[in-house]
Amino acid sequence: EELGTNLCFTSPFGSGDVDDAFARADTVVEVAVQTGRHTAVALEMRGVLASYDRDEHTLTVRVSTQAPQMLQTLYARLLGLPENAVRVVTEHVGGAFGMKAFVYPDEMAVVTAALLLGRPLKWIQDRYESLQSDTQARDERVTAALAVDADGRVLGLRSEVVSDAGAYSMYPRGCVTEGVQVATIMPGPYRVPVYASSLRVVFTNKTPLAVYRAVGHPPAILVMELLMDEAARELGLTADEIRRRNLLAPADLPYTSPTGNVYDSGSHLESLERALALLGDDVGERRRDAERRGCLLGVGFSSFVELSAPGAMFYGAKGAPITAHDQVEVTVQPDGSVTVLLGTPGQGQGLHTTAAQVVADALGVRLDDVRVVSGDTRVVPHGSGVWASRSAVVSVGAAHAAATEVRRRLLVLAAHLFEADPDDVELVDGVVGVRGVPASRTGVAEVAAVAYWGTHRLPADVEVGLGAVGSSSGPPYTFNNGTHVAVVEVERATGLVRVVDYAVVEDCGVLVNPDIVDGQIRGGVAQGLGGALLEHVVLDPIGQPQTSTLLDYLLPTAVDVPDIRIEHIETPAPT
């Protein structure tokens, strides 16, 4: 009450004359959606172990986090220590999904107390505490309207978004990111000529709202897809046909959405057609079979774009204290093995494997020869953290840059040993030689041994180090796309909902490791099913949590998740 309002942020989004588009429309459809509040429920809950060495004047903090360098800077600043006296160690993280990308007051209290007492302190969260205090997401109220012509083509879109921010902002991302994403992503992969959205972010007495996997995208996509379905019903079109008439085609690319998002590439229409083929043509038979068993059967489509790998301009230009570049150090050891120091830790998504593959490929060595280390600020170079599906673009981009430089140095050394031009030397499968001269072959280990222990054989102008730090800031952002199809049965007698079939066609660009990508898709679908059917943080009128255990906050299990059929389209970004 003392503030006079609980409105903490408001902003319009979109462009074009929306009133004119709605005035010209043959049909206007509207939807109102409220999405249930979620929390991440990481397998490994948050925890911290802090110790201060009075003799060395150093603070060591082991913490489950997505951003160790950010915490290193904050601990140093708040506790009056130089950054080189603060070591943050992050081992393998058992899940995070955005929830561990923040500074939490409970963790800060443990670290501060350890410094003041001069003795190690440990705090490990239990699930009850996790469900109360971990950041939450998806608490959105959206009303939206779609204007279409007689053929079902979109003329305009408008929406009003009210985002429940909870009680206060979490450092460093604040509480507005999800609402902004809901408002700006909503036009999705469709040709939407004009759009107007009004966003209001409000403070309430709930746990803080922050970022959670695919920040803001699920509510936005849900609203747009519901509008498409409503328009199809009004016009007597099938759900796939109205999407086919509005999805971006190859000739439309690059395409700038009415909120300024630039889709430089994609397979928006193709993903729908491939998903229909994956679904098959026996839906009518399946529907009749369901009827005989007392069930209704329906098919739902969802076509989407997802913003990922936001770069420095995405946050920094808006005033958020978040950098978006990463550094990676790659070193060939004297025996030919390779060490990769990743500035960014993983959160269980296979980042070490992906980085090792890219480095092995760039250096022409075996995957088994590459060891990846991350999560220790005393050892690794700077990284801004793992978030927003950025690692394969930015972190691995930095790894590739470092490996490319090390490869160049290896070839220069080998060229001197062979008395050849560096342009004539090749490196394939861990073997270096002069192109077209089979007799000139030696292993990477032999060249590396000279770089470390035989430098007397090299002229003074040859670089002897076989280590390099690569960096990458990535593009401003990237967009992937796809289409999901769900086949759902509902029991007439009980209302029980079962997802009986699920097909995904996804285009995330070049697949570095298809198994890892498939695993991430399956995990995302499981989380989506949980959000649609089971997960909901419930609070009473004064903000007391009513879903305080996993008996109350329900998660999908193997029983709830059907077999997920996945196909990939690989569209490399032209930039």
Side-chain angles (χ1 to χ4, degrees):
E1 285 73 10
E2 64 272 18
L3 295 178
T5 180
N6 69 334
L7 182 65
C8 73
F9 179 83
T10 182
S11 179
F13 296 96
S15 59
D17 191 342
V18 176
D19 291 339
D20 176 68
F22 275 78
R24 293 185 291 108
D26 293 283
T27 299
V28 173
V29 293
E30 298 181 358
V31 297
V33 171
Q34 179 174 346
T35 49
R37 185 169 269 251
H38 290 25
T39 187
V41 198
L43 183 65
E44 173 193 60
M45 288 165 285
R46 292 189 292 113
V48 58
L49 170 62
S51 61
Y52 182 69
D53 188 319
R54 292 188 184 277
D55 295 328
E56 296 290 334
H57 302 291
T58 56
L59 174 69
T60 299
V61 182
R62 297 178 182 272
V63 59
S64 183
T65 181
Q66 294 171 242
Q69 278 90 350
M70 177 193 73
L71 293 183
Q72 178 190 32
T73 295
L74 263 293
Y75 294 157
R77 182 186 305 167
L78 295 174
L79 299 174
L81 298 170
E83 286 200 33
N84 62 9
V86 178
R87 179 190 184 195
V88 176
V89 181
T90 298
E91 307 291 352
H92 298 293
V93 174
F97 310 114
M99 175 268 292
K100 295 178 182 175
F102 297 93
V103 183
Y104 281 86
D106 40 29
E107 296 171 6
M108 192 70 222
V110 174
V111 173
T112 305
L115 180 70
L116 294 174
L117 297 175
R119 57 186 298 180
L121 289 179
K122 178 177 75 171
W123 173 73
I124 304 295
Q125 185 185 53
D126 63 29
R127 187 61 72 186
Y128 177 75
E129 293 166 322
S130 166
L131 290 169
Q132 284 188 82
S133 64
D134 289 351
T135 58
Q136 297 174 358
R138 310 275 202 263
D139 201 343
E140 307 294 333
R141 293 158 180 78
V142 184
T143 58
L146 189 70
V148 296
D149 66 15
D151 293 327
R153 290 181 169 81
V154 173
L155 299 177
L157 171 68
R158 60 162 58 108
S159 70
E160 291 188 4
V161 180
V162 179
S163 182
D164 186 332
Y168 51 88
S169 260
M170 290 290 286
Y171 186 91
R173 282 171 175 77
C175 59
V176 303
T177 307
E178 178 170 291
V180 170
Q181 293 276 70
V182 173
T184 56
I185 290 295
M186 197 173 296
Y190 301 106
R191 289 185 297 274
V192 178
V194 295
Y195 173 53
S197 180
S198 170
L199 168 66
R200 288 176 290 163
V201 182
V202 296
F203 284 130
T204 66
N205 59 349
K206 301 178 185 176
T207 302
L209 187 99
V211 298
Y212 172 58
R213 191 172 188 175
V215 186
H217 288 65
I221 296 166
L222 173 64
V223 168
M224 192 64 189
E225 296 302 280
L226 288 174
L227 287 169
M228 281 289 173
D229 288 343
E230 289 294 324
R233 291 187 189 100
E234 287 287 323
L235 296 169
L237 297 173
T238 61
D240 58 296
E241 180 57 30
I242 195 166
R243 288 169 172 80
R244 187 177 289 109
R245 295 182 185 186
N246 289 285
L247 282 168
L248 294 169
D252 298 317
L253 302 173
Y255 177 81
T256 301
S257 82
T259 56
N261 289 325
V262 179
Y263 312 151
D264 62 4
S265 58
S267 52
H268 311 88
L269 187 57
E270 183 186 356
S271 71
L272 173 69
E273 303 295 0
R274 292 267 292 271
L276 284 166
L278 203 56
L279 175 65
D281 54 8
D282 63 343
V283 172
E285 182 180 331
R286 286 197 258 180
R287 183 170 281 123
R288 289 188 291 273
D289 174 67
E291 285 280 2
R292 287 192 291 270
R293 292 183 285 104
C295 296
L296 297 167
L297 183 141
V299 178
F301 295 90
S302 179
S303 294
F304 67 91
V305 292
E306 183 189 4
L307 185 150
S308 59
M313 296 304 291
F314 187 84
Y315 280 108
K318 296 177 175 66
I322 301 170
T323 181
H325 75 278
D326 278 4
Q327 295 176 340
V328 175
E329 183 176 341
V330 174
T331 303
V332 176
Q333 306 293 347
D335 64 351
S337 62
V338 181
T339 302
V340 180
L341 302 181
L342 277 181
T344 288
Q347 55 171 330
Q349 84 276 45
L351 178 55
H352 281 206
T353 302
T354 305
Q357 281 183 247
V358 169
V359 170
D361 186 62
L363 287 176
V365 300
R366 299 181 312 145
L367 183 62
D368 289 346
D369 292 331
V370 181
R371 179 176 295 276
V372 180
V373 178
S374 70
D376 187 342
T377 61
R378 178 181 289 177
V379 175
V380 302
H382 179 82
S384 56
V386 52
W387 38 270
S389 301
R390 64 187 296 276
S391 302
V393 177
V394 183
S395 300
V396 178
H400 182 265
T404 300
E405 171 59 18
V406 172
R407 179 189 179 99
R408 183 193 68 79
R409 296 184 184 186
L410 264 172
L411 294 179
V412 169
L413 282 173
H416 175 75
L417 298 176
F418 291 133
E419 297 182 350
D421 189 295
D423 292 339
D424 295 330
V425 179
E426 59 183 0
L427 170 55
V428 181
D429 295 332
V431 177
V432 187
V434 179
R435 197 174 290 105
V437 185
S440 65
R441 291 289 183 270
T442 189
V444 168
E446 284 71 27
V447 179
V450 173
Y452 286 94
W453 304 114
T455 53
H456 59 280
R457 299 169 55 185
L458 303 173
D461 60 345
V462 172
E463 295 176 277
V464 296
L466 289 183
V469 176
S471 63
S472 175
S473 296
Y477 45 71
T478 64
F479 280 94
N480 62 72
N481 71 272
T483 295
H484 290 217
V485 183
V487 181
V488 179
E489 285 188 2
V490 182
E491 283 188 3
R492 284 184 180 272
T494 66
L496 179 68
V497 177
R498 283 192 302 269
V499 181
V500 296
D501 191 14
Y502 205 98
V504 176
V505 177
E506 166 108 341
D507 186 351
C508 68
V510 177
L511 298 173
V512 178
N513 187 309
D515 286 342
I516 286 177
V517 175
D518 282 357
Q520 292 194 19
I521 290 172
R522 288 192 165 91
V525 170
Q527 284 177 302
L529 290 174
L533 300 176
L534 299 169
E535 298 183 52
H536 187 191
V537 174
V538 178
L539 303 106
D540 72 10
I542 62 169
Q544 290 297 316
Q546 305 301 293
T547 42
S548 55
T549 75
L550 294 185
L551 290 173
D552 311 307
Y553 187 88
L554 301 182
L555 297 173
T557 67
V559 175
D560 304 297
V561 181
D563 288 341
I564 300 166
R565 296 178 291 138
I566 302 171
E567 281 192 10
H568 297 287
I569 302 172
E570 294 188 72
T571 306
T575 55

